[in-house]
Every structure is written in structure tokens, then in C-alpha cells.
Amino acid sequence: MPDATYLVAAVLVSGAVTWALRALPFTALGPLRASRTVQYLQPRMPAGIMVILVAYCLRGLPLTHTAVLAPLAALAVTVGVHLWRRNAPLSILAGTAVHVALVSTVFTY
Amino acid sequence: MCIPPAVAGGPAPTGSAAPPSRTPSDTWAAFADSASVGLAFVPLGIAFGVLVAHAGVAWWWATLSSALIYGGSFEFLLIGMVTAAVPLASVAVSAFLVNVRHVFYALSFPLHRVKGPLGRAYSTFALCDEAYALTAGEQARSWSGRRIRRLQLFLHLYWVGGATAGALLGSLVPAGVTGLDFALTALFTVLALDAVRDRPGDLPTPLLALLSALTARLLFPGSLLIAAFALFTAGLLARHLTTRGRVRHA
């Protein structure tokens, strides 16, 4: 296990960078809020950003291996349950449970 | 990109949180608003804590990380980085690349309603994806700064509580049980579905995002996230310019 000083330093560095990214743009981008371009972007960004984050999570899929079936099945269950019940926590729990079950038993790697 | 109010007020137990006859206080309202994301944050936090425990890192690190970084997706990545003891400069660059998307939230997060330097400091610190999702939409137009801050505090507490519980109980989960990290993929999948459904007439936007992600995956596999965001934003701007031109010619 890495030593405690390094572990704390890694958290502090990451925390500082993350907070700066969340706080500083308000001073820089605040005046842009009224611009028509920003008003075009603003309602369209959330859906795209979330789609990209999903793709990012799936970037390491083992495409040439049968183990790829576990995340794909879990993804199908997440989407299916969400379209069916529209209950976010339920969809997340269902998808994760399927993934844990498959990866821990059938597709161990 | 949020869990829509229809879900929060539907079968989830949020509707019964406040007596219907009285006007709920800001705290109660914030608690009700936070419930549906909270029900996702707690298992996700537990998953994070269990991964920390299984990586052989001390339990308190999960508490520290969830309290002071408070950026779920990056924290999952950070476990692997600290167990490999990568240099702090690489940690900083990775934190920047994974979280740089937050700069876009400054365009629409209602910070002007949050009063006082301390309140604003906390509100920007706790501006995670889900806090943005809940407060930047139509349904939050009337919320006070106090209610927004309380909502953020509840989400923060769910995350820290889940992570701490997971790290403490992690040793009880057999090492053969893996794959809990899928909770993050599932959370973003659900948020993406909700965000796409919020704008039913706007399928080109998620398609553009998907195309940007695939292009970034092929051309810049090492910096997928920022490349995909940049391509996506550029694509939206290009679309904005061409549609504006078309309107003008018509």
C-alpha cells in the first residue's frame, strides 16, 4: 500500500484541480451567458455530455473476448429497466447486479 | 441530463417526505429533490469504497477522497493511479482532463441565487454532474439559493457516507465478487437516457456526441474524454452556424 503522505497529497492535488475547474469558469464565462451562441449550446450540452461519459466508461470493452458479454448484458438490462420503469435507482441497481453476478461467476477474468 | 421530476415524485418514496398540507421548508424540499440521485449515490459510493478496500488502500482514504475531491468518475480512476503510485503531476493532469467538462456548467448553473462568499465557495466546490443536472433545469427556476445549497449538501453526504460504509465493509465482500464499478456506467446511462428524452425532437445532438466519442476513441485513445468534448462542442457550434445561415437565407 502506498504511504499515507502520498495518498493525502493525491487527494489534495485532485481536489484543488477539480474545485478550480468548477469555480473559476464562473468569472470567465459569466458574461457569455447572454450570448446567443451560449444560449444555443446550453440546453443541448447535457444529453451529449452524458452520452460521451457512457462511451468513456465503456472504452475498455474487451471486444474480441467473450467477457464483453457481461457489460453488454448489464447495459441492456440498465436500458431496458429504465425504459420500462423510469426509476433511476432501480435501473442502476439492476444493471450493476447483473454485471456483478456475471463477472463474478461466468466471465471471471 | 437529470432524473426528471416525474421520477422523483413518482413511485420513489420522495412524495411522502413532507406533509402535503404544510409548505415544506427549504431543507425538506431539498431532501425530497435529492432522494432519487441519493438512491444512486449510496450504492455507487459503496461500490467505490469496496474497490478502495479491495485495492488494499486504508478505509479513511475513501472518506477523504469522497469528501475533498467529490468527483465520482475521477475518484474511481484515482484508485488505480494511487495503487500504482503514479507521480502527483500525472494525477493533476488526469484530474484536469476528467473534470474539465465542469467548465461548461458555469454557463447555466444558477450560482447568482446563492448568497455569501462561503455559500458560493461550497456551491462551486460541490458542483458535481448530478447537482448541475438537478438545478440547471426548468423545474429549479424558483428554488432559493439556500435550497440549492442544501440539495448539494445532501448529495455530498450520500457520497461520503456510501464511500465510507463501502470501505469499512469492503473486507466482508468476498474478493471474488467484482464488477461493482459498473454502477458508474449505469448512472451515466440513466442520466443520458433521461437527458435525451427531455429533448425528444433533438436526436442529432446525442448522435453527434456518439460520433465524437467514437472518433476520439480511434484518433486520441489516450485523451478520449477531452477530445470527445471538444469535437462535440465544435460540432454543435458548426451546426449552430449553418442553421443560422439557413434561416437568414430563407
Side-chain angles (χ1 to χ4, degrees):
Chain A
M1 187 185 118
D3 70 280
T5 317
Y6 169 79
L7 285 173
V8 172
V11 166
L12 293 180
V13 165
S14 309
V17 170
T18 306
W19 188 11
L21 287 170
R22 287 172 178 172
L24 296 182
F26 280 97
T27 46
L29 296 179
L32 290 179
R33 278 186 187 226
S35 91
R36 290 186 60 180
T37 305
V38 168
Q39 283 174 3
Y40 175 87
L41 291 180
Q42 190 267 318
R44 290 172 175 79
M45 299 219 64
I49 286 176
M50 291 302 130
V51 167
I52 289 171
L53 288 171
V54 174
Y56 178 71
C57 287
L58 297 173
R59 73 196 180 286
L61 281 190
L63 288 175
T64 54
H65 198 278
T66 50
V68 76
L69 291 174
L72 287 186
L75 196 65
V77 168
T78 308
V79 172
V81 170
H82 198 62
L83 293 179
W84 176 39
R85 299 304 298 267
R86 300 195 173 193
N87 181 331
L90 182 71
S91 322
I92 293 165
L93 288 176
T96 307
V98 166
H99 191 255
V100 169
L102 289 179
V103 169
S104 302
T105 55
V106 189
F107 299 110
T108 46
Y109 59 92
Chain B
M1 67 178 193
C2 58
I3 292 155
V7 172
T14 57
S16 55
S21 53
R22 270 181 279 160
T23 314
S25 69
D26 280 340
T27 303
W28 270 117
F31 180 69
D33 299 329
S34 76
S36 74
V37 169
L39 285 171
F41 263 26
V42 172
L44 199 62
I46 292 175
F48 170 70
V50 168
L51 285 176
V52 168
H54 283 188
V57 178
W59 69 269
W60 54 262
W61 188 79
T63 311
L64 194 73
S65 168
S66 53
L68 296 185
I69 303 176
Y70 190 40
S73 47
F74 176 71
E75 290 178 62
F76 276 94
L77 296 175
L78 189 58
I79 301 173
M81 290 165 69
V82 296
T83 48
V86 304
L88 290 179
S90 308
V91 170
V93 170
S94 306
F96 181 88
L97 291 178
V98 176
N99 288 324
V100 71
R101 66 178 185 277
H102 289 91
V103 303
F104 295 110
Y105 301 165
L107 293 172
S108 45
F109 178 75
L111 187 68
H112 53 279
R113 274 185 251 144
V114 178
K115 306 294 179 217
L118 271 181
R120 286 177 162 234
Y122 180 72
S123 211
T124 53
F125 169 79
L127 183 49
C128 62
D129 300 307
E130 294 76 11
Y132 166 79
L134 291 177
T135 56
E138 278 300 315
Q139 80 277 7
R141 277 275 163 89
S142 62
W143 295 1
S144 68
R146 196 176 124 96
R147 179 167 169 181
I148 291 168
R149 237 173 35 232
R150 288 288 152 88
L151 171 66
Q152 290 185 279
L153 182 64
F154 280 125
L155 299 187
H156 197 176
L157 289 176
Y158 299 145
W159 179 244
V160 176
T164 306
L168 287 172
L169 302 174
S171 50
L172 302 178
V173 180
V177 173
T178 52
L180 272 174
D181 52 333
F182 188 82
L184 186 68
T185 313
L187 174 65
F188 286 139
T189 302
V190 163
L191 291 173
L193 284 173
D194 287 340
V196 169
R197 208 164 40 198
D198 271 354
R199 297 178 58 83
D202 190 18
L203 272 183
T205 296
L207 287 179
L208 179 66
L210 193 61
L211 195 65
S212 304
L214 292 175
T215 310
R217 175 75 178 80
L218 288 176
L219 299 182
F220 314 98
S223 45
L224 195 166
L225 208 48
I226 191 62
F229 276 140
L231 287 170
F232 172 60
T233 310
L236 274 185
L237 284 173
R239 204 172 111 207
H240 179 45
L241 291 177
T242 51
T243 32
R244 225 175 33 177
R246 220 178 292 148
V247 170
R248 223 175 265 156
H249 288 300

